[in-house]
Amino acid sequence: MPVLEKEYNGYLFDQLTLIEDIRRVTNCGNIEEIKTELDWKQRQIERKLFQKSLLMDGHVEI
């Protein structure tokens, strides 16, 4: 499926945000906080992955 440049840039910004957030907690040196942050980020990604697309539901006309 082709991806528009704007959409692709959004994916890249999401990935940069993940790295920035994880780097923020790694500076504290607390491995438990890092694990908590990783778990949180994984839940955020999974929530996005499992959302049903509006295009698939027929709610958006192309």
Side-chain angles (χ1 to χ4, degrees):
M1 169 189 297
V3 176
L4 299 173
E5 183 179 358
K6 184 176 181 179
E7 185 177 7
Y8 183 69
N9 285 343
Y11 297 146
L12 295 177
F13 279 118
D14 286 344
Q15 291 174 358
L16 282 173
T17 299
L18 287 172
I19 292 169
E20 291 167 347
D21 291 346
I22 294 168
R23 189 179 310 275
R24 177 180 46 81
V25 295
T26 60
N27 291 333
C28 73
N30 184 336
I31 193 71
E32 290 307 314
E33 284 190 47
I34 295 167
K35 289 178 181 179
T36 300
E37 186 71 15
L38 288 169
D39 289 342
W40 175 254
K41 291 301 175 186
Q42 182 174 348
R43 285 192 302 273
Q44 289 176 323
I45 292 167
E46 288 172 347
R47 184 177 61 241
K48 291 176 185 178
L49 285 174
F50 298 129
Q51 284 183 350
K52 200 164 191 181
S53 169
L54 290 177
L55 291 174
M56 300 295 283
D57 285 343
H59 290 101
V60 177
E61 293 184 21
I62 301 175

